[in-house]
Amino acid sequence: MLNFDFYSPVRLVFGRGSEAQIGELMKPLAKKVLLHYGGGSIKKNGLYDTVTASLKKNGVEFTELGGVKPNPRLSLVHEGIALCKKENVDLILAVGGGSTIDSAKAIAMGVYYDGDIWDVYEQKSPVDKALPVATILTIPAAGSESSGDTVITNEEKLLKYGYGSPHLRPVLSIMNPELFFTLPKEQLAYGVADMISHVFERYFTNTKNTDLTDGLCEVTLKTLIKNALIANKDMDDYNAWSELGFSGTVAHNGLLGMGREQDWACHEMEHELSAIYDVAHGAGLAVLTPGWMKYVYKENMNMFVQFAVNVMGVEGSYRDPESIILEGIARLREFFGKLGLPATLSGLGIGEDRLEEMAKKATHFAFGNEKPLGGLKKLYWQDVLEIYKLVK
């Protein structure tokens, strides 16, 4: 087990009707907030009215900025930064899923940053201060309600980059699984694929003596798989959504990766799909992950046997570990299929014409400074291209 420093200050308020407490919870934290949200669904389902009424009742002023899209855009972040400065906002309240929360975090950083906030995402300059962020989660997926991470798309440069800092962990997050009932089934599928990938990026490691976090990863994965199938049959199942929502938080609050070398190659490869083709992040991960597994499993066959047996329930002779591994990968692909997720890049509407470009951009080879992806196996641009071809 490696040395680590685990810090998770997020207050998580969970349960039925918990969103109605937002004004009371905000009152000691802020005098004026930016209410940040997406395309307007919170107005259709009544959540907007609940939130604003609670803020008003408790004397918390607010200004608002909607319009967040999946793969949140840098242009809206710039707009939010200017608005926060103009209105003297002292906290950002994100009501939505990972895209809205990531956008809020980018705005929170930008308020105190003198240059273009995109510099931070290009790793040109770190941040040491940000406005506090609070969230009301409407889509369990990204785990941004508990993480210090944010991912933004620069729509002009067709780039999608992430940035992480302890300053970006929300001070408060509210999770009422009832808010997930009206999600379309594809959002369930995309979210589950993202949550599972968050666990995978930590689980598949060459680090040894990680029994505790191995077990935590495996039970989180099994919980996600079991309850995704339940919710897929009954989108009003409160208990299934409760398990999914809390698992998504645990999957990305950092706990599962403590003491382990992590990977993150699949996320980096997928960001190129989202940046250029604007595909759903979870859908891209569902396509790439089985391909990545087939390409790298020989680097640590014991780890992949453990996954196949402990998570996917594969039985077989340990004298033939490769068969066990391939069956585990096949069962994962079958599970994604049951949720209606695509299996190939062509199923996402992606052809072969830009695969090499994406591989070179993912590894920064295109920018003259190649940085191999991954921890389990170092992937250079030629490796990434081969994985793209495996799932084309």
Side-chain angles (χ1 to χ4, degrees), residues 330-368:
R331 290 188 184 187
L332 176 66
R333 177 62 265 162
E334 181 184 5
F335 164 71
F336 285 150
K338 288 179 180 178
L339 296 183
L341 288 160
T344 61
L345 293 178
S346 61
L348 292 170
I350 297 174
E352 298 182 47
D353 55 317
R354 303 186 76 170
L355 297 186
E356 183 172 324
E357 174 193 348
M358 291 191 296
K360 289 180 175 178
K361 288 171 69 178
T363 57
H364 283 240
F365 181 89
F367 311 118

Side-chain angles (χ1 to χ4, degrees), residues 1-4 207-208 210 258-261:
M1 186 180 295
L2 306 177
N3 293 358
F4 64 84
T207 308
K208 296 181 179 179
T210 54
M258 291 301 99
R260 312 168 72 93
E261 181 186 24

Side-chain angles (χ1 to χ4, degrees), residues 183-204:
L183 291 173
K185 281 194 173 183
E186 59 264 28
Q187 288 292 345
L188 163 67
Y190 300 154
V192 168
D194 194 9
M195 292 185 279
I196 284 176
S197 184
H198 286 158
V199 183
F200 283 161
E201 301 286 20
R202 296 166 166 97
Y203 178 69
F204 288 105

Side-chain angles (χ1 to χ4, degrees), residues 237-249:
D237 191 309
Y238 179 86
N239 292 321
W241 278 118
S242 297
E243 299 283 2
L244 292 171
F246 193 28
S247 293
T249 297

